[in-house]
Amino acid sequence: MKMRSCFLYAFRIVFSRNRTNGRKSLFASMLCIGISLVPLLAVMGISGGMIDGITGRMIGLSTQDVAVYFPYGCEETDSLDSFQAAAGQAAGLSHVTGVYPELEGTALATSLSAGGNRRCGASVRAVRDDIFDSNEAFASLFTLSSGEAAFSDGKSAILCEKIASDLGVQVGDRISLVCARLTDSGMLVPKTAVFTVSGIVSSGYQELDALWVFIPLESGFSFLPQNAAQYVIKLKTDGTFTSTVQQVKAEAARMFPVSAVWTWSEMNASQFENFSSTRILLLLIMVLIVLVASVNISSALVMVTMERLKEIAILKSVGASSRGIGFSFLIVGGICAAGGLAIGLPLGILAAVNINPVLALIEKMTNFCGSVLYACSHLTSGGSSYVGIRLLDPAYYLQDISVTISCGQVAGVCFMTLGLSLLASIIPAMKAGRENPIDTLRKV
């Protein structure tokens, strides 16, 4: 049985005009594979975009590619001038495209606005005045909510949106920052400074927005306790995800032997491992769904084989080989997989690209139904009003999910679907090829 004959018989099985139960089962298996691919592609695009978005924000807004930490009392931390001079030295390292000296510390933030007096913990970051313009990540990832992303004077501060909301402050309001200074005798002495809010920004990720308060670098040297603050020079390289980062780390360690040098992957290792394992688990679950859908092809081929026993017997009686018959049914399984891909790929990509409006619509419908049910159940008792749910709470996820689906991922999904479908088709195809024509013709 020639290859061409195998393909012709396979197409005859799939595209026959007879609407048999077996043919209906084949098209049903195509539909099942297509439907199973939609959540797989959506999860693949969403998880990849969300992990890349959160990772990009953590690297660009928090750690940069390489961070050089200086211990308290070393020459580089004696004064603001010596610290900036060390930053100038770091700018001479190869592959370094940006240098951002910074002081980091913790403080208790208190609102001093009228009717305020709210308090919360704050992570104080003393940065250069021009960082929101000179730092490409700050300029692109921070969104200005109100005011301006610049320090009007040495006593101004820029707050992230979440902590500004917790404190109940707006642009022009004043906040008090209180930190603890450790004296030589071992006593903790509070130190207070008052700043005026000049701007409110948002990174789009509330876990980062919840604590950050930016103040000028010179104010950080005068306010933050020297023995409790972290002196760090953050370096941006021209290859964040390449071996360039390790090269810059080695050069920085040689330039500043008293410092501790860390790369972005080392500082966020546990978080990135958590992201990766969660994504792998989600994709594994989606692949199992595709596998279950592919198994439907096996049952459909068994039904088609039972319906076409007479045809198989006639073909074998005129010279068709068992291998050729089996290969024809294997081709049928491949056609079903290709049909499922034709259905699922465009729908899955479309769902992934439009995931933000889709989730917003689902959220509105869910909250509408929930509010109706809540109102019906509290007609007589009254009580509190209905509290809506958030499918993706921005306190834990990005406010807007960016979707990234590469051609390689789509190709991988195609090969995986074809492979699983062909594997599911092997056993029924072999059984179809082993059918005894004599036994079949005797029953006719």
Side-chain angles (χ1 to χ4, degrees):
M1 193 171 181
K2 296 182 179 180
M3 184 72 68
R4 181 181 179 184
S5 301
C6 295
F7 276 97
L8 287 174
Y9 185 52
F11 277 93
R12 174 182 171 83
I13 293 174
V14 178
F15 302 105
S16 174
R17 294 182 179 180
N18 298 326
R19 297 182 178 180
T20 61
N21 291 330
R23 184 170 175 270
K24 293 178 181 178
S25 298
L26 290 176
F27 282 98
S29 63
M30 289 185 192
L31 184 61
C32 289
I33 292 176
I35 294 175
S36 66
L37 289 176
V38 174
L40 173 62
L41 289 168
V43 168
M44 185 179 294
I46 294 169
S47 61
M50 186 172 291
I51 291 174
D52 291 344
I54 295 175
T55 302
R57 281 164 173 77
M58 287 183 174
I59 297 174
L61 303 181
S62 181
T63 63
Q64 296 299 326
D65 299 341
V66 178
V68 184
Y69 287 88
F70 293 92
Y72 166 68
C74 67
E75 181 182 351
E76 289 81 4
T77 62
D78 283 343
S79 63
L80 175 61
D81 292 336
S82 60
F83 191 54
Q84 290 183 331
Q89 287 182 270
L93 294 172
S94 58
H95 302 288
V96 172
T97 59
V99 179
Y100 310 105
E102 183 175 323
L103 261 69
E104 299 176 348
T106 57
L108 176 66
T110 305
S111 169
L112 300 179
S113 60
N117 201 28
R118 298 184 184 179
R119 297 181 179 87
C120 68
S123 176
V124 181
R125 299 178 59 181
V127 296
R128 282 178 172 172
D129 296 347
D130 62 343
I131 192 168
F132 285 90
D133 295 323
S134 61
N135 189 324
E136 183 180 349
F138 274 59
S140 60
L141 297 178
F142 271 127
T143 302
L144 183 63
S145 300
S146 59
E148 57 180 0
F151 302 112
S152 56
D153 54 42
K155 287 299 182 179
S156 61
I158 298 174
L159 275 63
C160 281
E161 194 172 53
K162 181 62 169 60
I163 191 171
S165 174
D166 293 341
L167 292 174
V169 296
Q170 299 177 353
V171 173
D173 293 339
R174 296 188 306 159
I175 62 170
S176 170
L177 296 179
V178 181
C179 62
R181 180 174 62 87
L182 185 65
T183 62
D184 295 336
S185 59
M187 296 182 60
L188 288 176
V189 178
K191 190 174 184 179
T192 305
V194 177
F195 293 87
T196 302
V197 179
S198 62
I200 297 175
V201 296
S202 173
S203 68
Y205 184 43
Q206 286 196 19
E207 186 171 326
L208 299 180
D209 289 351
L211 297 174
W212 283 348
V213 173
F214 297 95
I215 61 175
L217 186 60
E218 56 272 17
S219 299
F221 262 84
S222 61
F223 167 65
L224 293 174
Q226 293 184 350
N227 55 4
Q230 288 186 325
Y231 298 82
V232 56
I233 296 177
K234 300 179 179 180
L235 308 177
K236 178 73 174 70
T237 69
D238 55 10
T240 303
F241 301 98
T242 65
S243 58
T244 300
V245 173
Q246 294 296 332
Q247 181 180 343
V248 173
K249 173 186 176 181
E251 293 181 5
R254 288 194 295 268
M255 178 176 287
F256 305 109
V258 299
S259 65
V261 186
W262 303 92
T263 64
W264 65 267
S265 57
E266 293 169 343
M267 288 184 286
N268 303 283
S270 60
Q271 205 156 17
F272 295 131
E273 287 294 331
N274 183 29
F275 289 156
S276 300
S277 59
T278 302
R279 185 186 186 191
I280 292 173
L281 181 60
L282 287 174
L283 292 179
L284 179 60
I285 295 173
M286 296 299 107
V287 169
L288 291 177
I289 295 175
V290 177
L291 176 61
V292 172
S294 301
V295 173
N296 289 335
I297 297 178
S298 179
S299 59
L301 289 179
V302 171
M303 186 174 295
V304 171
T305 302
M306 295 175 62
E307 291 178 347
R308 295 182 177 269
L309 287 177
K310 183 178 179 180
E311 283 186 7
I312 295 172
I314 294 174
L315 288 173
K316 281 193 170 185
S317 64
V318 296
S321 64
S322 298
R323 181 177 297 178
I325 296 295
F327 187 66
S328 297
F329 278 84
L330 196 62
I331 294 173
V332 172
I335 293 174
C336 291
L341 287 171
I343 297 172
L345 284 181
L347 291 178
I349 295 174
L350 186 65
V353 170
N354 296 279
I355 191 62
N356 288 303
V358 168
L359 288 177
L361 178 61
I362 295 175
E363 187 175 291
K364 288 181 180 179
M365 294 175 61
T366 303
N367 285 324
F368 174 77
C369 295
S371 62
V372 171
L373 293 175
Y374 185 85
C376 293
S377 61
H378 292 76
L379 287 175
T380 57
S381 60
S384 60
S385 60
Y386 173 76
V387 179
I389 64 171
R390 298 294 302 272
L391 295 181
L392 292 178
D393 193 339
Y396 309 102
Y397 305 97
L398 295 176
Q399 292 178 357
D400 293 312
I401 303 172
S402 59
V403 179
T404 56
I405 300 179
S406 64
C407 295
Q409 291 175 333
V410 175
V413 170
C414 294
F415 284 117
M416 179 202 67
T417 305
L418 287 172
L420 292 177
S421 300
L422 291 177
L423 284 175
S425 305
I426 289 177
I427 295 178
M430 292 175 62
K431 289 184 177 180
R434 291 175 182 174
E435 289 294 335
N436 192 339
I438 298 177
D439 294 338
T440 302
L441 294 176
R442 283 175 179 174
K443 298 177 182 178
V444 176

